[in-house]
Amino acid sequence: MEEPKIGVFVCHCGINIGGVVNVPEVVEYAKTLPNVAWAEGNLYTCSEAGLSSIRDSIKKNGLNRVVVASCTPRTHEPLFRATCEDAGLNKYLFEMANIREQCSWVHSHEHEEATAKAKDVVRMAVARAKWLEPQDEPEVDVSDSAMVIGGGISGLTTAVSLANQGFKVHLIEKDAQLGGLTRRLGKIYPTLQDSSEILDPLIRTATSNENIQIYTSAALKDVSGYVGNFKVALTKGKEDVKLDVGTIVLASGALNYEPPKGSFQYGVLDKVVTQLQLEEMLAQGKLTEPERVLMIQCVGARTGEVWTYELSDMSKSFAARLLSKILGAKKEEGWPYCSKICCMNAIKNAIRIKELWPKAHVDVLFSDLRTYKEYEDFYRRARALEVKFIRYIREIPPDIAEAPGKKVRVTAYDTLAGVETEFLCDLVVLSTPLCPSKEDVMLARMLKVPLGPDGFFMEAHPKLRPVDCQSDGIFLAGTACGPKDIPESIISAQAAAARASILMGNKRLKTEALTADVNPDLCIGCGLCEELCPYGAHKIESGKSKTIAALCRGCGVCAADCPRRAITMRHYSDRQILAQVEAMMAK
Amino acid sequence: MNEAESATSTENAEKALGAGFDPRILVFTCNWCSYAGADLAGTSRLQYPPNARIIRTMCSGRIEPTFVLEALRDGADGVIVTGCHPGDCHYVKGNFRAEKRFNFLKTALKQLGVEEDRVRLAWISAGEGEKFSLLIKDMIDKVRELGPNPFKST
């Protein structure tokens, strides 16, 4: 092995790291570490200035290993690896030290300790870098077909977009009908057009597109494989279907939260309904001219516990907790986040009632009203139609009771007037949030993708990779990853389609070189690796284990269990890991 | 316990209670769940004491008992192995192997006379930033009670 010459680049990340960690001190420290030929600090290592500094330094200082101490490799490793490759350095000779997410951001007030920790983390990365080896990446074929899970507005948009680019799309819908939650909305804001006006043409386009195969009343049974080569088993009615797809787009949508029985007298008085039920009443003409309609905002939203963890719960799985929360939501008080569409939705239905029956009174009880971007005009329009907005306090929830003449009496504290006010209503409408469903938990398990703290699918990065899943080849569209209105759902659906098409358009994909390597001199052919490998990547042939690199996903279970220590994991070898362990304690 | 031993253990206890003892905790994380959980603690700015150092592998199933033993021998006061929750493993069942090996490790440590609480296995999902920070805090408290690792090779 050539003598390692390691370059260390320590990022200030503006004040994100530099405001806590003494970066110049870390740089000076890095210079004292063995095999470090160059160390420097950068304001932003990921900026063009920082990247060109890495490229120049590789050439000028003859670096053959690069360590960047900055943020998490989960977002920035690909960028720095590509930079190394630009300068002619194999990308597996790059190592990252996480001194932001796992240091400066979690030790914001302990400048000295954070600096000491950053030095340790850099020392560990340098120790590992010393043992890094160049690797060749195996290439795999990417199937040019996609599976879209969910036939709502997002799933349909993704499917049409992918099909128009020439990819084969399998669209899976659990209901008998396409359209999802959008179908249940009568009119949509802010244009107040019928939802069918946008949904029906989209469904027509999708069903008539020969690249789209639609499976309604379908249930996913199993998903295995990996990016480019997913194997899917599903049932359509009683028929079993097997699919091979290159990418998966999750557009499974969200539920409209239903309050538990008795909360705001929901389920007790039939004059108390949710906004979604009001939509259906309006669409079916079931609502007769009311004297007064009262809407209550934030029912089951921005309330309830934010995830907290008791140490006694440590062993309980996140999925199990989430599932019990979803199933138990009937008893509980709701969801902690703002669903962001309910304000506009309530205003939309208020305007609809006012336009149908100008004499009807419509009052909206709110604790905070958030009508972002152009929706402020929508709010003004409602006010011009004399919809009354009355602020109540969450701590003094309105009291709801039956009143004579098939009315409902709502008593609420009006904070502007400073008095308790009574409303005699024909209908009370509860604005409830979008929430995750129990199917989400099942899907997350099947696809091995994480759910976020809110229970929605979690994106790989909230800012940098908003429609990517953490697992390669799986993308998120629409409300599956959080509340969205229709335009936002369509934007994310098109983004997901674009992201998936990049993979499929390239036809071939280089996969990570993190595969197992068997030393035949040490192997005794015991077959333990063959037994343990979940991918069938090890085969015993003439008394020795042989690795099929294309099948190996790089978990390293075989290497850890090999009784003869004959298996080396590329890029995660014993020596590389132990070098980090040793460096952690060495001062 | 003879007088000399008793003196050492009192000394250890004093050292442990004294301000001088800052436990060093090593955390093995898997790339897909627990490392992401640790990142989420960061993006959520959840503060925890700066005693832990993280080593990332692709899967908790990569972690060998020898890695943990090496860490203890090198002087780590506590070691945590973390991975995806059962059923959530990115590699189907790597975390089950990790658990199996971890149980074996615990038995081995018992025979060596190492306190059980110096090592710990925990499942952290990518969405559990708060759980990660709580885990680190709790581990530091536990190890602080145990005092410095007496098995450090000199």
Side-chain angles (χ1 to χ4, degrees):
Chain A
M1 195 169 87
E2 58 181 336
E3 183 63 23
K5 289 177 86 172
I6 304 171
V8 181
F9 300 82
V10 188
C11 183
H12 283 79
C13 195
I15 56 164
N16 280 299
I17 296 169
V20 177
V21 171
N22 186 334
V23 172
E25 204 180 304
V26 177
V27 172
E28 286 313 308
Y29 174 74
K31 286 179 183 166
T32 66
L33 294 170
N35 302 98
V36 171
W38 179 257
E40 66 174 63
N42 313 104
L43 186 56
Y44 290 99
T45 311
C46 62
S47 68
E48 190 38 49
L51 299 179
S52 66
S53 182
I54 294 176
R55 283 189 288 260
D56 294 347
S57 189
I58 289 172
K59 287 178 184 142
K60 199 173 75 196
N61 302 306
L63 303 179
N64 54 20
R65 305 281 190 282
V66 170
V67 171
V68 170
S70 59
C71 46
T72 170
R74 289 174 56 256
T75 58
H76 279 63
E77 193 172 55
L79 176 71
F80 294 125
R81 280 180 158 187
T83 306
C84 289
E85 278 188 318
D86 287 348
L89 195 66
N90 184 286
K91 69 185 201 184
Y92 289 90
L93 297 173
F94 169 79
E95 175 62 15
M96 215 157 162
N98 186 337
I99 60 167
R100 192 179 74 176
E101 278 84 348
Q102 297 176 3
C103 187
S104 68
W105 278 354
V106 287
H107 314 306
S108 315
H109 312 297
E110 296 141 302
H111 296 211
E112 254 176 57
E113 290 88 344
T115 304
K117 176 168 173 177
K119 286 180 188 172
D120 286 359
V121 176
V122 168
R123 184 174 66 243
M124 288 163 73
V126 166
R128 172 172 153 80
K130 184 186 167 191
W131 296 104
L132 291 178
E133 284 168 25
Q135 308 288 352
D136 287 326
E137 295 189 326
E139 270 193 24
V140 294
D141 287 325
V142 177
S143 161
D144 62 354
S145 60
M147 170 170 71
V148 177
I149 304 172
I153 194 126
S154 309
L156 286 164
T157 305
T158 309
V160 169
S161 171
L162 283 171
N164 284 346
Q165 294 176 69
F167 300 111
K168 177 89 191 148
V169 181
H170 302 278
L171 182 67
I172 321 277
E173 167 59 48
K174 69 175 189 322
D175 291 340
Q177 231 185 349
L178 294 172
L181 200 55
T182 313
R183 175 173 292 284
R184 298 179 64 189
L185 304 175
K187 299 210 183 263
I188 53 174
Y189 69 77
T191 51
L192 289 186
Q193 62 194 135
D194 281 341
S195 65
S196 58
E197 258 180 70
I198 58 159
L199 199 56
D200 289 349
L202 192 59
I203 291 175
R204 268 199 301 278
T205 315
T207 44
S208 63
N209 193 315
E210 57 184 23
N211 277 340
I212 301 178
Q213 177 79 39
I214 296 171
Y215 306 83
T216 45
S217 309
L220 269 183
K221 290 292 162 211
D222 187 47
V223 178
S224 60
Y226 51 93
V227 52
N229 301 278
F230 290 107
K231 300 210 178 306
V232 180
L234 60 107
T235 54
K236 180 187 187 296
K238 281 180 181 161
E239 188 189 338
D240 283 323
V241 183
K242 293 223 177 322
L243 303 171
D244 289 311
V245 297
T247 55
I248 295 174
V249 178
L250 253 171
S252 50
L255 286 182
N256 184 238
Y257 175 71
E258 249 189 80
K261 193 176 172 191
S263 162
F264 293 86
Q265 299 297 319
Y266 179 80
V268 177
L269 302 178
D270 61 353
K271 298 282 180 186
V272 179
V273 297
T274 64
Q275 289 284 1
L276 194 62
Q277 287 162 340
L278 172 64
E279 302 264 359
E280 284 166 341
M281 288 167 82
L282 284 169
Q284 293 159 4
K286 280 188 185 161
L287 189 65
T288 49
E289 179 167 359
E291 250 178 84
R292 186 181 291 276
V293 175
L294 181 96
M295 298 181 178
I296 304 174
Q297 298 303 103
C298 291
V299 172
R302 302 167 64 216
T303 179
E305 64 169 52
V306 180
W307 292 112
T308 49
Y309 293 96
E310 300 298 325
L311 286 166
S312 55
D313 279 350
M314 278 287 179
S315 58
K316 205 168 168 192
S317 113
F318 179 63
R321 278 176 58 96
L322 187 61
L323 200 59
S324 67
K325 178 159 174 88
I326 291 170
L327 297 175
K330 287 261 165 222
K331 294 183 256 81
E332 287 180 35
E333 61 231 87
W335 296 88
Y337 50 83
C338 165
S339 178
K340 94 173 177 183
I341 59 162
C342 330
C343 290
M344 276 70 71
N345 208 34
I347 292 171
K348 172 191 77 182
N349 285 335
I351 291 176
R352 285 175 74 191
I353 291 170
K354 271 294 196 185
E355 284 181 347
L356 279 170
W357 303 289
K359 282 183 185 158
H361 294 280
V362 182
D363 303 311
V364 180
L365 278 186
F366 70 97
S367 71
D368 290 287
L369 207 67
R370 302 174 181 184
T371 51
Y372 64 109
K373 52 180 194 179
E374 75 267 30
Y375 301 129
E376 194 66 21
D377 277 346
F378 205 45
Y379 166 69
R380 287 199 197 98
R381 192 168 145 197
R383 293 206 69 145
L385 286 169
E386 296 193 336
V387 174
K388 303 249 175 0
F389 292 89
I390 299 147
R391 192 166 185 278
Y392 75 104
I393 310 177
R394 300 295 292 264
E395 286 69 26
I396 313 174
D399 184 56
I400 298 169
E402 205 170 1
K406 289 185 179 171
K407 300 261 180 186
V408 180
R409 178 181 288 113
V410 179
T411 320
Y413 183 75
D414 177 344
T415 52
L416 277 181
V419 289
E420 204 161 69
T421 315
E422 217 175 73
F423 305 88
L424 214 53
C425 324
D426 298 291
L427 194 67
V428 173
V429 188
L430 308 177
S431 292
T432 57
L434 291 178
C435 67
S437 69
K438 65 176 192 294
E439 282 87 2
D440 288 349
V441 183
M442 308 302 174
L443 272 176
R445 292 223 133 177
M446 203 182 285
L447 296 166
K448 309 284 179 217
V449 295
L451 293 164
D454 284 339
F456 290 102
F457 288 101
M458 195 175 171
E459 58 284 82
H461 190 282
K463 287 187 221 165
L464 303 173
R465 294 173 65 193
V467 297
D468 294 8
C469 247
Q470 222 183 89
S471 300
D472 289 343
I474 304 178
F475 303 92
L476 298 167
T479 51
C481 58
K484 286 184 184 63
D485 60 16
I486 290 171
E488 288 163 346
S489 294
I490 291 177
I491 292 169
S492 75
Q494 287 170 340
R499 295 288 292 158
S501 66
I502 295 173
L503 274 176
M504 293 188 290
N506 283 332
K507 292 192 174 64
R508 285 179 74 74
L509 174 78
K510 282 196 166 185
T511 58
E512 293 257 318
L514 316 177
T515 52
D517 185 23
V518 183
N519 180 344
D521 295 336
L522 292 173
C523 178
I524 51 166
C526 69
L528 185 62
C529 50
E530 188 179 2
E531 194 186 311
L532 290 175
C533 181
Y535 305 103
H538 286 288
K539 285 270 169 299
I540 304 294
E541 274 175 22
S542 29
K544 301 279 178 196
S545 173
K546 203 172 159 268
T547 316
I548 305 150
L551 293 179
C552 178
R553 308 299 304 142
C555 62
V557 164
C558 57
D561 273 322
C562 177
R564 295 279 294 157
R565 309 186 78 83
I567 302 175
T568 302
M569 288 312 294
R570 293 193 175 88
H571 209 55
Y572 284 95
S573 69
D574 288 4
R575 195 152 53 184
Q576 288 161 354
I577 295 171
L578 286 173
Q580 276 173 289
V581 172
E582 208 175 290
M584 176 200 161
M585 296 310 299
K587 274 261 173 175
Chain B
M1 197 185 282
N2 65 34
E3 217 169 83
E5 266 171 356
S6 144
T8 342
S9 75
T10 321
E11 216 177 281
N12 272 346
E14 273 172 2
K15 234 192 274 171
L17 291 170
F21 178 49
D22 234 355
R24 306 267 279 168
I25 313 290
L26 176 60
V27 190
F28 286 106
T29 59
C30 76
N31 183 58
W32 304 97
C33 294
S34 47
Y35 192 87
D39 275 351
L40 184 63
T43 40
S44 318
R45 309 298 197 278
L46 300 170
Q47 306 293 303
Y48 56 84
N51 302 53
R53 305 290 178 265
I54 292 170
I55 292 180
R56 177 176 67 132
T57 58
M58 295 313 280
C59 179
S60 54
R62 175 73 188 93
I63 305 307
E64 299 178 29
T66 44
F67 296 168
V68 179
L69 290 172
E70 278 295 332
L72 290 172
R73 203 189 63 159
D74 289 344
D77 298 300
V79 180
I80 315 177
V81 176
T82 61
C84 308
H85 284 280
D88 288 353
C89 177
H90 189 76
Y91 301 101
V92 190
K93 53 186 182 183
N95 49 359
F96 288 121
R97 288 306 297 173
E99 191 175 26
K100 264 205 163 111
R101 272 184 236 125
F102 187 82
N103 292 338
F104 163 74
L105 171 75
K106 275 214 152 182
T107 323
L109 286 178
K110 212 175 194 173
Q111 284 168 7
L112 290 169
V114 178
E115 301 99 328
E116 250 185 287
D117 286 348
R118 285 200 192 274
V119 294
R120 189 155 175 177
L121 180 72
W123 308 131
I124 309 274
S125 86
E128 294 179 323
E130 189 178 359
K131 183 170 167 186
F132 182 85
S133 70
L134 271 179
L135 172 72
I136 301 295
K137 280 184 212 162
D138 189 63
M139 184 70 176
I140 291 168
D141 289 346
K142 287 256 157 66
V143 172
R144 227 185 263 283
E145 275 170 33
L146 291 175
N149 171 8
F151 311 97
K152 183 180 176 177
S153 69
T154 43

